[in-house]
Structures are given as C-alpha cells and as structure tokens.
Amino acid sequence: MDDKGITIDLSVQGMSCTACAARIEKSVGKMPGVEAVAVSYSARTAWVQYMPGTIQPSAIMEQIGKLGFKADLPENAKEGFEKERSRLRLRLIVSLLLTAPLLTAMVQHLAPFAQIDLPAILTNPWLQLGLATIIQFVIGLPFYIGAYHAIRSRATNMDVLVATGTSAAYLYSHFLVFNADRTALYAHEVPLYFETSAVVITAVLLGKFIEASVTSRAQQDASGYSKLLNTVVQVERAGVEMEIKTEFVRENDYVIVQAGQIIPVDGIIASGDSEVDESLLTGESVPLAKRSGDQVWAGTKNESGALRIRTTAAGYATMLSRIVDLVRQAQRSKSVIQRQVDTVSAWFVPAMLFLALGTFVIWVTIADPGNWTTAFRCGVAVVLAACPCALGLATPISLVVASGRLAKRGIVVKEAGALERLAQLNMLVLDKTGTLTEGKPKVSSVHTTLGSKQGLMRLAAAVEANSTHPLAIAIRADAMQAGLVPPAAVDFAYTTGKGVEAFVEQRRIGIGNASFAASRHWSFSSPSIQSYAEERQKLGETVLYVADNNRVIGAISFLDTVKPYAKTAVSRLRKAGVTVLLATGDHPAPALSAAQTAGITPTQVYANMLPEDKLKLIDRLKEQDYKVGMAGDGWNDAPALAAADVGLAMGDGTDAALTAGHITLLQPRMTALPEALLISRLTVRNVRQNLTFAFIYNAFIIPFAACGMLQPWMAGTAMAFSSVSVVGNAIRLGSRLRKVAGQF
C-alpha cells in the first residue's frame, strides 16, 4: 500500500470487445475511493487502485456485475476463462447443428447448386422459423444481454451490432412468414433471411471461439513466469525439516533446494555449491557457479548440488513476483496508438448504425425507390460488416506477445508506451561504469607520498565503508584481500558523482576525483601524484585522489574492462540508425579508451559528467528533436533515465534496477540493447499491420455492403473473421520474436 491506495487484479468474464473494457473503466473509475482503473479485453483482466477506507473489492466486483460482466479474484482467472470458453464452444456446436439445415436455402441461390433437388422439409419456411428462433433467442441470448447492458450504460459495443443486424434479418423474415402469400412463400418466391441471422450468429461465435483460443495461447506464452512460482518449499526450522507453503516462508528461514529443483525464494546461499540456471529470469543461457555467500533468486533452477539458502524475500516479495507484476503492468497499460484507437472505437458503432440507416434510406428513396427488400438487405449488410473488434485488438494482443517474449529474455518493459517510444529511438546515451564496462573495477595500482600503500588503502577503505559505488567496492575488496582492518569512520559527507569525506582517527580524510579535489581546494603534497595520475589515465584507468586534512597524500588507479560483445552491440545499434554517445563522470582518458574499444568515436564521448550534466545532455538532445534513450545502472543515472524518452536500467541481478527507468535489463549484457530495439520495432510494425488491415477491411467491406454487393451473411462472416486474422498476425509476431532471440 502507498499514499495512492492499494491495488487489486480481477479477472473479468463476459466482455465481447474493447468497448466493454472501456465501459468498465468508465463506470468503475467514477466510484468513490477508486483512484485508477485499467481493463484489458485481450487479457480479460481489470486492475483497480483504490482507497481501502472508502471502498472494498466486493463493491467493485458488484459494480462490474451490474454492467453485465462477472468479476472474480485472479486465482480463479484461468478457471473462469476456461469455463467461458467451454460455454462458447457449446453454443457454437449447437448453433452449427441448427444452422446446417438453414444453409440449404442459401445454397439454392448459388449457381452450381441451383439444380440440386433438396428435401422439401429443409426449405420449409416454418422449419426455418423454428430453427432460427432457437438460434436467435437461445444461442444468441448473450448478445441481447450484452447489448442491453451497453445501451443501459449509454454506450455501444459489438453486441449491439450483432443484435441489431441479426434481429432485423430475423424479424423481417418472421413478418413475411406470417403475412406473405402462402403460394409464393412455399414456392420460395418470397426472400427470407433466416439463414442470414443464423449464419452470422454462428460465424461470430466461431470467430470469438478461435479468438479466445489463440488469445489464451498468447497469454500462456506471456505469463511463462508463473510456471516458475513454487507453491510448496522445504524449510529447516530449529534443526527440523518441514514442507510448507511458499507464502508462509519468513525472512531468515533456511530453505533446502535439491538438484534439479526450482529455487522458491530470494536469498543467500548458507551452504552448498552448485550451478544455477538463470536463463528464464535473465536470458543468460549459461548456468552460473554458485557457492556460499552468493545471491540466488526465486524462479532460477538449481542444476547440480543441494543448496541451503537463507531467505531474504519470499512469496510476493521476490524479484520474480515483482517482474510478473511489471509484465502485467505493461500489458494493461496503453500506448499512444492504443489510446487513439480507443477514441475511434468509442464512436465507431454509433457511426455504423447511422450509416446503416442512411444506406436504407438512400436505397429506398434514390437508388431503387420503393424496393424495401433491397434497401433492407443493404442496411443489414452494413450493420453486420462493421467490426470494431479488429481495431480494438490490433494493439494490445501484439503488446501481450512482445512483453512476454522480452521478459523471457531478461528485458522487463514497465509500460506499453516505452516499447512504442523505443521503436522510434535514433539516439542512445550510454553510461560507462556498469553499462559499457563490467562495472566491477579492480584496484590497478596505488601511489603514495606519505606512509605506506597499505596505510593509504586502510584510510580509503574506512571512508568508503558505506558506499555502494563500484570504485568504493573495489577499494574495500582490495583492502580485505590484503588483510587490512579499516578503522571506524564518522561524519560522512557524500558528493554524488565526485567523492566522499569522513573523520578517521581524528583526521578529515577525503577521496574523490579531480573535480572533487578542485572543489575542496586540496593541495598536493608532491607533483609526483599528478604525474602518476596522468600516466595511469593515459592507460585508460580511472584515478581517485586521497587527501588528509585537505592535503593530497596519494592516488589510487582502477581498471574496468569493457563488456564482451560491446563493440558488436554498438555496431548493430548504428546499423539500426541509432547514434551512440558515451556520457560518464570519469576522466576523459579512460572514457576515450573504453569508447575506442567499443567502437564509439571520440567526438561522441562526454567525460567528467555529473548526474545533472547527463540530465542537461538528455534535455539538449531532445530539444534537437532526437528520440533519446539513456542506458545506465539505475542509481546515479536516475535523473537522466527518467528524463529520456526511454530509460533503460542495466540490472546486475539485484532488484534495485527494477525501480529505475522505463525498461529494465535484468542481465546487463550489451547485446540486450539492440535486441530490445529490434523487438520493439517488429512489435510496432506488427501493430501497424493489424491497424492497417482493420482500417482497410472496414474501408472496403462497408462500401461493398452499402452498394448491395454483399449478402448480409457474407458481411457478418467477414466481420467475425477480421478479428481472428488480427490475433493470428499477432501470434505470427511471437514466432518471429523467437527467431530474433536466436540472433543474440
């Protein structure tokens, strides 16, 4: 819970199109105590943020029920979706069986079958009436219920179109059966449209069943992480091993994980050695050697030896659960394209109803005056041809597929809009330490003019005792390796991106870069220190000065190697039309050395950059109309990550990276950058293909229907399968993305 309330995920059954999702959002969003709401038709879920003191989940679920839908808790989502699909399958089968006899009337109108003699009973108008009535008001009852609830809420959806079009065809035919001349009726000289209403309902049901089946498959692919969530674990308490549910595991519990099992918690290995496969969490295919003291994560697989793990997080607190939440967050969020499509879809159905009425009027008054049959047929065809579902599904289904595939590669997208913006990227700013380089620098050499090198490292380790900066970690590691015991330090004063000072043994000890030394007006005890710094920097190393009471007494140099495949990644980004810059707080010499190794030209290197300088650089590039991305470690680069069009936080296996940027790379591999870019562009291209098809379909099919060139049953069938084709194209995206993964 936060100051904005708490959130709940609900499964929603009974939605027929994206207009239903929009109606739920609008209605629930108006409820007192509801802070935010997002409903996904493709995922059949609703996300609600509410104030518990004002409203309860039961009231929210009740409100959704009043709209004609069924809301349930997320643990029942899969079961509810399968029940809905089973009911849809049953309705489809019965509808197919009852529609088959009615098709005979339609078959006789086709030239190749005109001479075939069919049993008279099959073309009997009273049999057609009976079968059509069952299909219309029993099988098709949910369409009427959905249309009623939509109109009651002063909205429209696909149910309104289906109910209107099929009712018109059925009622017109019903009227003719009871009022037409009996001789003409039995001679089939009176045009009946019972087969039209029946075929349309059957086709819509078939399309929705195929759509539900394909969408279910896409959802399963996207929610692959759920397979990694253990429900039962082996825990050691007071020397006794017991089996308990994961949600009952507490911090500092010891969990036993045998070889071949999925690790159920985040924790530190207390005892045991093994190799752990983290591929499903980070995208790295090579198992990592783990031993006592190493961090492990829920969802990874213990490959060899047994491990005894001290729990640091379990259940919903694990990094895996947080990733699952972020993937769901991305899938329920809306991109700019989707919001625009939603705006169009809101007026689409009313517009089509008015167009159908206009078509009827034009035919009966101008095109073919007095021919009510033709006018009616064309008007009904327009209603049945109109399809808002293809438009509504075009974006979200592709985003579901893409976000799931990215997550399996260790690339977590937090919002749908970030994926869309990433596809437009033409400028990428890289941080150096932890992004371009390994981020694990080591002490290369130490120079001092006062005392021993061990004494200097002892003081430096004391000042850097609490820092999480990579250079501070390197200092402490070197001191520990040398067996040094740093003295206590107090009164720390940090300057982000520059250095730190503290009192150690009653002396003011400082450590920092040249900029920090200048800002503190440190004096140098010997020119040799500056000469040493210049020599080490020429070698591409980073240098920090150590001062005692504002007098520099030595310097420490660090070496941080460039990541493997960094040059390949930069090359691929350039081929994709992205200019790569390097912005670092480091000295120009090591920055240029790292850039040269990675294939970044010297003119694209910015050194001695403080966090605020990186932020200004991002803003300046955006003012020049570049679409700017920033890739950093998620700590000092947080302002720049937030300001960029797309912030890519390079993780290091810790959950801290999940809080920074718009996209998180769990495994800080450089090749993930061009991979994410390629996937985003393929996804946006797929969305545009879907939208293009949906618009072209409506632009072509509706005029044909209005001009009398389509029978109503043809228009209705085409409408049903237009959304299926959009979903199918999104699934095709999934296969393409799997091939992309093999390239990186």
Side-chain angles (χ1 to χ4, degrees), residues 204-228:
V204 171
L205 289 174
L206 178 59
K208 291 184 72 63
F209 179 73
I210 295 173
E211 175 197 319
S213 301
V214 176
T215 302
S216 176
R217 174 184 160 192
Q219 284 291 330
Q220 290 173 4
D221 289 344
S223 59
Y225 279 127
S226 60
K227 301 174 184 177
L228 308 179

Side-chain angles (χ1 to χ4, degrees), residues 76-261:
N76 302 323
K78 185 176 180 180
E79 181 183 354
F81 186 75
E82 286 304 317
K83 284 183 178 178
E84 184 177 358
R85 203 157 66 100
S86 296
R87 289 193 294 268
L88 193 59
R89 182 192 297 113
L90 178 61
R91 289 170 61 201
L92 172 61
I93 292 172
V94 175
S95 188
L96 281 169
L97 293 175
L98 296 179
T99 301
L102 295 175
L103 291 175
T104 56
M106 183 171 62
V107 166
Q108 284 190 325
H109 293 296
L110 302 178
F113 306 100
Q115 305 303 319
I116 298 178
D117 290 327
L118 296 171
I121 186 66
L122 293 179
T123 57
N124 186 290
W126 295 100
L127 174 66
Q128 292 185 28
L129 172 62
L131 295 176
T133 300
I134 297 173
I135 296 171
Q136 188 71 36
F137 299 111
V138 179
I139 304 300
L141 181 61
F143 294 121
Y144 285 100
I145 294 174
Y148 164 75
H149 284 290
I151 295 172
R152 184 184 177 191
S153 302
R154 297 180 181 179
T156 54
N157 61 2
M158 191 195 76
D159 290 333
V160 174
L161 290 176
V162 174
T164 301
T166 58
S167 295
Y170 171 85
L171 292 175
Y172 180 72
S173 301
H174 183 279
F175 173 81
L176 291 177
V177 169
F178 282 93
N179 294 278
D181 179 78
R182 290 292 179 268
T183 303
L185 183 65
Y186 283 98
H188 310 300
E189 296 173 358
V190 177
L192 300 179
Y193 294 99
F194 286 126
E195 79 280 358
T196 294
S197 60
V199 168
V200 168
I201 288 176
T202 303
V204 171
L205 289 174
L206 178 59
K208 291 184 72 63
F209 179 73
I210 295 173
E211 175 197 319
S213 301
V214 176
T215 302
S216 176
R217 174 184 160 192
Q219 284 291 330
Q220 290 173 4
D221 289 344
S223 59
Y225 279 127
S226 60
K227 301 174 184 177
L228 308 179
L229 297 171
N230 287 26
T231 55
V232 178
V233 297
Q234 197 78 14
V235 174
E236 178 188 306
R237 288 179 178 171
V240 178
E241 290 189 16
M242 61 185 74
E243 203 171 71
I244 64 174
K245 290 186 176 181
T246 307
E247 55 262 36
F248 297 133
V249 177
R250 301 189 298 263
E251 190 175 341
N252 293 321
D253 270 345
Y254 285 90
V255 174
I256 309 301
V257 182
Q258 301 297 332
Q261 292 183 338

Side-chain angles (χ1 to χ4, degrees), residues 379-415:
V380 170
V382 170
V383 172
L384 296 176
C387 183
C389 292
L391 286 173
L393 279 171
T395 303
I397 191 66
S398 296
L399 293 177
V400 165
V401 172
S403 59
R405 175 53 50 185
L406 283 165
K408 288 181 179 180
R409 295 290 295 165
I411 305 169
V412 179
V413 180
K414 297 183 184 180
E415 52 165 309

Side-chain angles (χ1 to χ4, degrees), residues 697-713:
Y697 162 81
N698 284 292
F700 276 86
I701 202 91
I702 292 173
F704 273 98
C707 293
M709 301 173 68
L710 282 180
Q711 291 293 329
W713 70 266

Side-chain angles (χ1 to χ4, degrees), residues 294-375:
D294 286 342
Q295 176 82 55
V296 290
W297 312 101
T300 57
K301 186 178 181 181
N302 179 23
E303 293 283 4
S304 48
L307 296 175
R308 183 169 174 265
I309 302 168
R310 179 175 61 81
T311 302
T312 57
Y316 294 111
T318 64
M319 184 170 73
L320 177 63
S321 292
R322 293 180 63 191
I323 292 171
V324 170
D325 287 340
L326 288 173
V327 172
R328 288 175 179 166
Q329 175 182 309
Q331 291 176 353
R332 67 176 174 248
S333 63
K334 294 183 179 180
S335 66
V336 174
I337 293 176
Q338 188 174 347
R339 283 193 288 269
Q340 292 171 344
V341 170
D342 286 349
T343 301
V344 173
S345 298
W347 55 260
F348 185 86
V349 174
M352 291 303 102
L353 292 174
F354 278 112
L355 180 61
L357 180 60
T359 299
F360 176 83
V361 172
I362 290 173
W363 270 98
V364 82
T365 58
I366 301 174
D368 194 358
N371 191 337
W372 293 83
T373 300
T374 301

